[in-house]
């Protein structure tokens, strides 16, 4: 259950990072980089190695970060790429292809870009439940 929860948290960040529509081109640029869940310090999750940002300890169960590079989203337990994105009212739904250490799967993640420093990933089972992510300035 814990691993599934971590994977879901990771996937929320992935969705925000990989936009496939031309209308979202500006947002793609804004969502590149490192992100942490609300209440988590960037310095506790990431380290800077030269010009690049990396996880301090990607295998830590407390890691709540996402690294977005192009269409690739890396989290604590998986790496995802966006297959497609469609608009749903004030939100976006991203179809993701994810790979972890044991399997590959596809899923849809719904999110809302609040601003260039914040996005919300919605729980698939509760329309008003979401996790907020903030961009790390490193």
């Amino acid at each position: 259950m814990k691993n599934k929860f971590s994977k879901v948290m990771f996937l929320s960040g992935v969705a925000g990072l990989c936009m496939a529509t031309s209308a979202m081109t500006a947002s793609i640029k804004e969502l590149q980089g490192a992100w942490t869940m609300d209440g988590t310090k960037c310095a506790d999750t990431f380290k800077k190695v030269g010009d690049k940002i990396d996880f301090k300890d990607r295998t830590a169960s407390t890691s709540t970060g996402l690294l977005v590079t192009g269409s690739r989203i890396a989290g604590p337990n998986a790496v995802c790429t966006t297959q497609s994105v469609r608009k749903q009212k004030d939100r976006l739904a991203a179809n993701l292809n994810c790979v972890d250490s044991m399997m590959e799967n596809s899923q849809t993640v719904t999110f809302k870009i609040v601003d260039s420093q914040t996005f919300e990933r919605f729980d698939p089972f509760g329309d008003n439940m979401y996790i907020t992510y903030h961009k790390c300035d490193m």
Side-chain angles (χ1 to χ4, degrees), residues 29-79:
K29 292 177 184 176
E30 292 172 6
L31 294 174
Q32 299 295 300
W35 297 82
T36 59
M37 286 176 54
D38 197 19
T40 304
K41 295 179 182 177
C42 294
D44 292 341
T45 306
F46 300 108
K47 63 183 176 183
K48 194 149 187 178
V49 180
D51 291 342
K52 296 185 180 189
I53 299 171
D54 201 358
F55 286 93
K56 276 189 170 181
D57 182 2
R58 190 170 180 202
T59 62
S61 63
T62 58
S63 181
T64 59
L66 298 171
L67 284 173
V68 180
T69 307
S71 64
R72 181 178 180 265
I73 302 161
N77 298 311
V79 175

Side-chain angles (χ1 to χ4, degrees), residues 57-110:
D57 182 2
R58 190 170 180 202
T59 62
S61 63
T62 58
S63 181
T64 59
L66 298 171
L67 284 173
V68 180
T69 307
S71 64
R72 181 178 180 265
I73 302 161
N77 298 311
V79 175
C80 299
T81 55
T82 300
Q83 302 301 306
S84 65
V85 177
R86 67 186 183 283
K87 188 165 176 95
Q88 292 182 333
K89 297 181 185 175
D90 66 337
R91 299 177 187 172
L92 298 171
N95 294 323
L96 306 174
N97 185 37
C98 301
V99 178
D100 64 20
S101 62
M102 296 181 65
M103 59 190 265
E104 180 176 339
N105 68 0
S106 295
Q107 59 188 293
T108 300
V109 177
T110 305

